[in-house]
Amino acid sequence: MNTIYEKPRSLSDVNFHYCPGCGHGVVHRLICEVIDELNINDKTIAVVPVGCAVMSYDYFECDAVESAHGRAPAVATGIKRCMPDKVVFSYQGDGDLAAIGTAETIHAAARGEAITVIFVNNTIYGMTGGQMAPTSLPGQVTQTTPCGRDPYTQGYPLKMCEILSQVQGVSYIERCAIDTVPHINAAKKAIKKAFLNQIENGGYSFIELLCSCPTNWKMTPKQAKERIGSEMCEYYPLGVFVDKIGE
Amino acid sequence: MKELMKGNEAIAAGAIHAGVKCFFGYPITPQTELAAYMAKHLPKSGGVFLQAESEVSAINMVYGASSAGFRAMTSSSSPGVSLKQEGISFLAAADLPCVIVNVMRGGPGLGGIQPSQADYFQAVKGGGHGDYRLIVLAPGNVAEMAEMTVKAFDLADKWRIPVMILTDGVLGQMMETVDMDSLPERKYYDKEWAVTGRSGRAHKNIVKTLHLDAEELEKIVLEREEKYRRIECEEADAEEYRADDADIIVTAYGITSRIAKAAVDRARESGVRVGVVRPKTLYPFPSEFYNKGYKKILCVEMSTGQMVEDVKLAVKCGVPVEFYGRTGGMIPGEDEIYERIMMMAKEDAK
């Protein structure tokens, strides 16, 4: 009998608390498949955020540190600087990475820290019940933008890949989407490349993943996936923004 | 070898002696020389010096390095230490050892850059959110700044607790000799809890502060309280100066204690039986040092009166406790303290 589906060893055998149709489960799996394939479970440290993924220390079957809101890149810096031979990745949502932790994000990139940043962008604060995120799209209705986000009073969404592309210290930036099978396969390839870049070149990588939050978008999982491919991909174009690997 | 150095440099030299692996900081006066010394000397001893983008980031880098089991520290002055409070609460909640230095300046707000002791409450009573304590050490001279830093790292590892060295702009900036050869040897502690990558370990290690179950969180907080009670029993320390036959005690820490000693010497010449109790640990507070039959206590601080509350608690209001303080960067003069002592002695004689 051929095994066609198996849980990655690096993914804990526990129930996840994520909602149906949420992107986190898929992203966790992709990361763990990469950790297994690179055989780095024994030397990987996950730095997890505040937000829906706060409890992911229970889901990644590797050593993990939960950090204060937005501070994951600073925590990861502290770990990696002490143990340059270990593999350190931060896992952060949009509020964590692009609002309260913007300074930590940009400066870890500027220093070219040898870490891998996984950025889950679902344009909303999920854990607290659906407030406006720094990446919420213009017109997006949230608990704190009941009439839709008005850029005139509530600002424009931040495009983190584009912003970080201006920072010299980074070596690899790519934006992918977690909606279709080809996109998910491309996302895994990007994640693997990012981990390899850390291991082989000591380079800083940033992978943004456009994900769905059906619960707070008030959509079915299917509608939510469709929103990624339409509205989100239009505002946040997929692709490689920086690739200096090998330079 | 004896070296003439500033207090800030002595702390840095003591930390390197104690095997600090990394220093993360952000520029602020009057702690500047500490980071400068680290930038110059720490890389030579195989350590990491990193200037962070903010105080917030610096303390979180300490959190990361400490999670990995390494000796890590940061230093700042008052407004910068306020910014670090989020991280300090997390370090305490995760039971992570580290050393944090506050070279105090006048506040509140941006305040000034002259010396102060007005961050006592913040250091000793909390500062960040939640039920937690730091061990707080108060050196009284430059040599002790080096020595106490070695002790701070040992205490942090021994108790798995953040330790703060609470000092002031005078001690930070003044120069005295330090005999680096006489520093105590550092101690080593197992850190089987550290996140180092599993490396064959059967279980994964997790450093975290989130406990959504209220019963579980209460249990963890109460266990930590139990640890604090043991720290109070074992680690409280103070210096007594001419206190054997004293009726009046002047109590002060840091630079203020040295001025107090000079005032006490003068009052002794005038025939007053007066001595000094200088707390070396502010938390745990050395309460028993105040209960030796003294008739009156004068607490002197560079603040509007913060440590004085702990002195009153120490004597359970059984002894009159008076306060004299200067603040905003002003330093109490020997004359001013001498006058207070003589007034108290005169009231006694009536």
Side-chain angles (χ1 to χ4, degrees):
Chain A
M1 197 163 61
N2 291 334
T3 305
I4 55 166
Y5 180 89
E6 204 177 19
K7 186 185 71 62
R9 278 176 292 116
S10 293
L11 200 60
S12 301
D13 194 11
V14 295
N15 292 331
F16 288 10
H17 71 284
Y18 300 120
C19 306
C22 167
H24 280 302
V26 178
V27 177
H28 283 18
R29 181 185 168 88
L30 296 182
I31 291 170
C32 291
E33 283 179 359
V34 166
I35 291 173
D36 283 1
E37 286 167 23
L38 297 176
N39 198 24
I40 51 171
N41 180 285
D42 257 11
K43 59 174 187 175
T44 297
I45 294 129
V47 182
V48 308
V50 169
C52 280
V54 63
M55 282 175 281
S56 57
Y57 47 69
D58 281 335
Y59 307 153
F60 295 120
E61 201 52 32
C62 59
D63 278 5
V65 181
E66 164 236 285
S67 43
H69 202 19
R71 318 299 176 218
V75 174
T77 296
I79 298 169
K80 184 71 180 188
R81 290 285 182 121
C82 288
M83 304 187 296
D85 55 331
K86 300 296 164 82
V87 180
V88 181
F89 75 94
S90 77
Y91 186 107
Q92 302 174 258
D94 37 52
D96 194 86
L97 182 138
I100 201 164
T102 317
E104 286 79 1
T105 297
I106 288 181
H107 286 274
R111 292 189 302 267
E113 294 295 341
I115 59 171
T116 301
V117 177
I118 305 293
F119 171 35
V120 173
N121 178 3
N122 60 12
T123 75
I124 204 144
Y125 283 79
M127 188 63 129
T128 44
Q131 296 80 22
M132 182 186 74
T135 53
S136 292
L137 296 178
Q140 187 175 335
V141 174
T142 71
Q143 200 183 67
T144 50
T145 54
C147 302
R149 181 178 190 166
D150 175 6
Y152 185 73
T153 53
Q154 285 139 348
Y156 287 91
L158 289 181
K159 299 180 176 182
M160 292 310 292
C161 286
E162 287 82 343
I163 289 170
L164 291 173
S165 299
Q166 310 302 311
V167 177
Q168 263 186 336
V170 305
S171 89
Y172 174 46
I173 299 181
E174 183 165 350
R175 181 183 289 130
C176 304
I178 304 296
D179 57 344
T180 64
V181 172
H183 279 165
I184 291 172
N185 286 338
K188 182 178 168 185
K189 220 174 123 195
I191 292 169
K192 192 166 186 176
K193 189 171 166 181
F195 273 87
L196 274 171
N197 183 33
Q198 175 179 169
I199 296 162
E200 292 174 355
N201 316 305
Y204 171 95
S205 303
F206 182 90
I207 307 297
E208 176 173 343
L209 302 161
L210 303 181
C211 285
S212 50
C213 179
T215 301
N216 288 300
W217 293 357
K218 305 194 189 324
M219 290 180 179
T220 65
K222 186 165 176 291
Q223 289 167 331
K225 292 282 178 286
E226 282 161 9
R227 178 179 182 252
I228 296 175
S230 54
E231 278 179 58
M232 281 178 79
C233 283
E234 192 186 327
Y235 198 91
Y236 299 112
L238 305 185
V240 175
F241 289 81
V242 175
D243 188 351
K244 297 186 206 159
I245 299 173
E247 272 179 28
Chain B
M1 193 183 69
K2 279 194 176 173
E3 279 184 62
L4 184 66
M5 59 205 315
K6 287 192 174 189
N8 285 333
E9 295 168 334
I11 290 177
I16 292 173
H17 177 87
V20 68
K21 171 72 178 174
C22 30
F23 176 92
F24 305 106
Y26 185 88
I28 185 168
T29 305
Q31 63 83 51
T32 313
E33 296 82 3
L34 209 166
Y37 189 97
M38 284 296 194
K40 196 171 172 187
H41 296 281
L42 187 53
K44 283 189 240 167
S45 67
V48 175
F49 169 85
L50 184 58
Q51 182 173 323
E53 62 271 23
S54 69
E55 303 282 7
V56 176
S57 194
I59 192 74
N60 280 284
M61 289 173 183
V62 168
Y63 182 92
S66 177
S67 297
F70 292 84
R71 287 192 159 182
M73 84 184 288
T74 184
S75 70
S76 191
S77 293
S78 309
V81 177
S82 291
L83 279 167
K84 291 187 194 294
Q85 293 303 324
E86 171 202 59
I88 292 173
S89 167
F90 275 69
L91 282 153
D95 299 308
L96 289 175
C98 68
V99 173
I100 302 145
V101 181
N102 183 359
V103 185
M104 290 180 282
R105 61 187 244 184
L110 204 48
I113 58 170
Q114 300 301 323
S116 165
Q117 294 179 320
D119 303 347
Y120 180 93
F121 282 154
Q122 184 194 58
V124 171
K125 306 292 180 188
H129 58 284
D131 286 311
Y132 77 92
R133 295 284 189 169
L134 309 175
I135 291 178
V136 183
L137 305 180
N141 58 60
V142 173
E144 203 174 63
M145 286 167 105
E147 190 190 310
M148 268 194 186
T149 305
V150 182
K151 188 178 180 182
F153 278 103
D154 287 342
L155 286 172
D157 283 348
K158 177 184 174 186
W159 294 101
R160 286 189 63 182
I161 189 173
V163 176
M164 179 171 280
I165 297 173
L166 191 67
T167 184
D168 57 77
V170 180
L171 281 172
Q173 301 284 332
M174 67 190 271
M175 294 184 90
E176 288 181 320
T177 53
V178 181
D179 183 359
M180 294 301 294
D181 298 328
S182 73
L183 288 183
E185 281 306 306
R186 64 160 290 188
K187 293 177 183 151
Y188 290 85
Y189 295 85
D190 277 343
K191 296 187 178 178
E192 74 289 339
W193 46 265
V195 289
T196 52
R198 290 177 69 157
S199 309
R201 212 189 309 120
H203 61 280
K204 60 180 177 183
N205 279 347
I206 300 172
V207 170
K208 65 165 192 168
T209 66
L210 179 73
H211 305 280
L212 288 175
D213 182 316
E215 271 183 53
E216 178 192 307
L217 180 55
E218 183 187 49
K219 184 170 168 279
I220 289 167
V221 170
L222 290 179
E223 279 168 8
R224 205 173 287 116
E225 279 299 312
E226 200 52 43
K227 174 169 86 176
Y228 297 148
R229 296 293 89 78
R230 280 185 285 136
I231 290 171
E232 285 168 5
C233 289
E234 290 179 38
E235 306 294 355
D237 195 16
E239 180 202 2
E240 291 163 315
Y241 177 79
R242 305 187 81 164
D244 280 352
D245 63 340
D247 295 323
I248 299 173
I249 281 297
V250 182
T251 185
Y253 67 99
I255 191 62
T256 315
S257 70
R258 293 172 62 154
I259 306 164
K261 282 179 189 172
V264 160
D265 286 345
R266 228 175 109 191
R268 280 272 174 184
E269 280 170 27
S270 309
V272 181
R273 291 199 296 190
V274 57
V276 172
V277 170
R278 170 176 78 93
K280 293 163 86 170
T281 57
L282 299 176
Y283 182 84
F285 194 71
S287 300
E288 69 275 23
F289 284 81
Y290 294 91
N291 292 304
K292 298 190 176 177
Y294 306 127
K295 291 182 184 148
K296 280 183 176 178
I297 296 173
L298 171 64
C299 182
V300 184
E301 298 174 56
M302 292 194 291
S303 78
T304 53
Q306 300 191 15
M307 185 177 83
V308 65
E309 293 189 3
D310 281 335
V311 178
K312 285 179 180 170
L313 284 171
V315 297
K316 299 187 172 68
C317 297
V319 178
V321 177
E322 294 188 17
F323 174 75
Y324 181 68
R326 299 294 302 269
T327 194
M330 296 302 292
I331 303 170
E334 182 192 318
D335 282 3
E336 298 162 44
I337 301 173
Y338 172 78
E339 278 167 27
R340 293 296 179 298
I341 296 169
M342 295 314 286
M343 271 162 55
M344 287 167 79
K346 212 180 281 173
E347 287 163 11
D348 250 7
K350 273 181 198 166

